[in-house]
Amino acid sequence: MNTVTLIGRLDTDPVARLVGKQPVVRIRLAVDDRTAGQPTLVDVDVWGRQGAAVERYLTHGRLVAVVGRLTSSIWRDGVNNRRQHVYVTAHSVDFLDKPSLNGQPKS
């Protein structure tokens, strides 16, 4: 079973990009790690309409819950070193706090 559930705050604003013709939004969560004394940063990719909502309504500092699966990407860099990135592909993102100011979407 490959299921991840995280609660954390956005460490940065969401970043949208296209993968092929599919829109995807990446968020970076700061997840509380009581044993380390500092947050663990986790990248999360959110696809489709949910990704569009994340991009439109979420900003740095907002509290969210993410349910998804671990995904990894492996490649060789310019000097042929093996590189790997492990991240979460979201099935769902729940907004857990109220937006600041008047709650208007980002323009």
Side-chain angles (χ1 to χ4, degrees), residues 5-100:
T5 303
L6 300 168
I7 296 177
R9 294 197 177 274
L10 269 67
D11 187 55
T12 60
D13 285 339
V15 176
R17 67 188 196 285
L18 287 175
V19 176
K21 293 185 179 182
Q22 297 288 329
V24 62
V25 174
R26 174 155 292 167
I27 57 176
R28 178 165 287 167
L29 286 186
V31 179
D32 188 26
D33 185 345
R34 293 183 183 135
T35 60
Q38 63 184 26
T40 298
L41 299 178
V42 180
D43 288 335
V44 178
D45 282 353
V46 189
W47 294 79
R49 290 187 306 201
Q50 185 153 39
V54 164
E55 180 188 19
R56 185 169 182 191
Y57 293 105
L58 292 181
T59 56
H60 176 265
R62 293 287 307 276
L63 184 66
V64 297
V66 172
V67 177
R69 63 182 166 81
L70 278 180
T71 307
S72 67
S73 177
I74 300 170
W75 69 96
R76 296 272 178 187
D77 65 13
V79 289
N80 207 30
N81 293 319
R82 183 178 183 272
R83 308 290 290 177
Q84 181 173 6
H85 182 226
V86 177
Y87 56 97
V88 174
T89 300
H91 297 300
S92 66
V93 178
D94 293 321
F95 304 180
L96 298 180
D97 61 359
K98 295 179 183 178
S100 60

